[in-house]
Amino acid sequence: IRYAELNWQQEKFTTNHEDKNRVLATDHPQYGHPLLQEPQMQNRLWWAVTEVSPKEGGYLEGAIFIGQTVAQRILQTN
């Protein structure tokens, strides 16, 4: 197992001088809409992406949380 982390702000091809001096946003978008946490299409479609997670949405931790949650829910319904 391998984990890699990258600060995109340091990459010369994905940022510019203005980006490097920009203050990061203090507000984080709201994720985890309840409708997207429910299965769709008669339990054939489940959303398991970080933007659906009610915890740590938008972050890797949110993706892990919702992935585990959805996997458990699928196993319980089958």
Side-chain angles (χ1 to χ4, degrees), residues 55-70:
K55 292 183 175 181
E56 303 292 336
Y59 295 109
L60 178 60
E61 293 83 355
I64 293 169
F65 175 83
I66 197 66
Q68 291 174 336
T69 301
V70 167

Side-chain angles (χ1 to χ4, degrees), residues 36 45-53 62-71 74:
L36 296 175
L45 175 64
W46 297 73
W47 300 106
V49 296
T50 188
E51 290 81 5
V52 174
S53 180
I64 293 169
F65 175 83
I66 197 66
Q68 291 174 336
T69 301
V70 167
I74 289 171

Side-chain angles (χ1 to χ4, degrees), residues 1-15:
I1 296 175
R2 182 176 157 228
Y3 171 79
E5 188 169 311
L6 176 65
N7 181 345
W8 289 101
Q9 198 174 27
Q10 303 300 319
E11 288 290 303
K12 70 178 183 176
F13 295 117
T14 59
T15 189

Side-chain angles (χ1 to χ4, degrees), residues 16-63:
N16 61 37
H17 179 70
E18 291 178 14
D19 290 335
K20 291 181 181 180
N21 295 322
R22 187 172 294 154
V23 176
L24 298 176
T26 57
D27 293 333
H28 190 69
Q30 291 293 320
Y31 293 114
H33 193 285
L35 179 63
L36 296 175
Q37 294 176 33
E38 296 299 320
Q40 308 295 314
M41 299 175 56
Q42 299 171 340
N43 290 340
R44 293 181 294 168
L45 175 64
W46 297 73
W47 300 106
V49 296
T50 188
E51 290 81 5
V52 174
S53 180
K55 292 183 175 181
E56 303 292 336
Y59 295 109
L60 178 60
E61 293 83 355

